[in-house]
């Protein structure tokens, strides 16, 4: 597994640092999946868990869409793999392909980056209906770092189970 990630800077503005850490975590998920075929991406961690690398990529596409487009921009759009608000649907990878999952995830990441770039401030707010509260773009970005960090830990274990690759 070749590490082509750019590490976050040690100094910078708050926005530059948050953006860089989020992109680093996005790149980490991609790296953990690099070079694997659909069958390997669908390999479960251990029964009865249905957790797979492919499921994580699909889940993160949903999370990107939800937090940036549905919450922050208040777009009335459906989720990627669910007609209702069901984040678990992304983990059903029985018919899924890596090409489909990565295309959706990469498209959502690009939407998220555009939304963040165009926002005047991290203090701008969106509304999180599940919480019944407004949330700042800063909170959205920090929440995304949290989501990726947690799931990249899962991805470490999943990749090791697929081919023994560990680290980074």
């Amino acid at each position: 597994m070749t590490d082509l990630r750019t590490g976050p800077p040690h100094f910078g503005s708050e926005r530059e640092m948050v953006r860089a850490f989020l992109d680093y975590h996005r790149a980490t998920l991609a790296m953990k999946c690099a070079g694997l075929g659909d069958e390997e991406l669908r390999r479960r961690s251990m029964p009865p868990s249905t957790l797979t690398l492919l499921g994580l990529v699909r889940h993160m596409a949903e999370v990107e869409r939800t937090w940036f487009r549905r919450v922050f921009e208040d777009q009335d759009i459906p989720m990627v793999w669910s007609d209702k608000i069901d984040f678990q649907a992304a983990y059903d990878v029985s018919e899924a392909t890596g090409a489909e999952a990565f295309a959706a995830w990469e498209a959502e990441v690009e939407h998220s980056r555009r939304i963040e770039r165009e926002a005047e401030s991290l203090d701008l707010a969106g509304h999180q209906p599940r919480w019944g509260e407004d949330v700042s773009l800063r909170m959205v970005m920090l929440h995304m770092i949290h989501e990726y960090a947690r799931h990249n830990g899962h991805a470490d274990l999943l990749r090791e189970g697929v081919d023994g690759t560990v680290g980074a």
Side-chain angles (χ1 to χ4, degrees), residues 15 22 26 62-77 108 111-131 133-144:
R15 193 165 194 167
L22 180 52
R26 288 169 172 151
E62 294 286 26
V63 173
E64 292 269 1
R65 175 178 281 215
T66 296
W67 281 98
F68 284 95
R69 294 172 73 187
R70 292 172 53 93
V71 170
F72 186 72
E73 281 199 326
D74 195 29
Q75 291 184 20
D76 186 19
I77 56 174
E108 292 305 325
H111 283 295
S112 299
R113 286 180 176 140
R114 174 193 53 78
I115 290 165
E116 184 271 323
R117 275 191 318 268
E118 292 175 359
E120 290 179 25
S121 165
L122 295 180
D123 291 324
L124 295 177
H127 184 74
Q128 173 45 282
R130 287 177 36 215
W131 298 350
E133 297 179 27
D134 287 347
V135 294
S136 69
L137 179 56
R138 176 183 294 102
M139 185 269 153
V140 168
M141 292 184 72
L142 291 172
H143 181 77
M144 291 301 300

Side-chain angles (χ1 to χ4, degrees), residues 6 13 58 70 83 85 95 97 137-138 151 161 166:
T6 300
S13 70
R58 287 168 47 106
R70 292 172 53 93
D83 293 335
I85 309 294
E95 303 292 322
T97 67
L137 179 56
R138 176 183 294 102
H151 291 311
V166 296

Side-chain angles (χ1 to χ4, degrees), residues 62 70 76-87 89-90:
E62 294 286 26
R70 292 172 53 93
D76 186 19
I77 56 174
M79 293 184 73
V80 183
W81 287 283
S82 172
D83 293 335
K84 52 186 187 278
I85 309 294
D86 179 7
F87 284 91

Side-chain angles (χ1 to χ4, degrees), residues 138-168:
R138 176 183 294 102
M139 185 269 153
V140 168
M141 292 184 72
L142 291 172
H143 181 77
M144 291 301 300
I145 292 168
H146 162 80
E147 282 280 333
Y148 276 103
R150 182 166 51 112
H151 291 311
N152 283 338
H154 299 136
D156 284 338
L157 295 171
L158 287 161
R159 181 63 190 249
E160 184 178 5
V162 168
D163 65 4
T165 301
V166 296

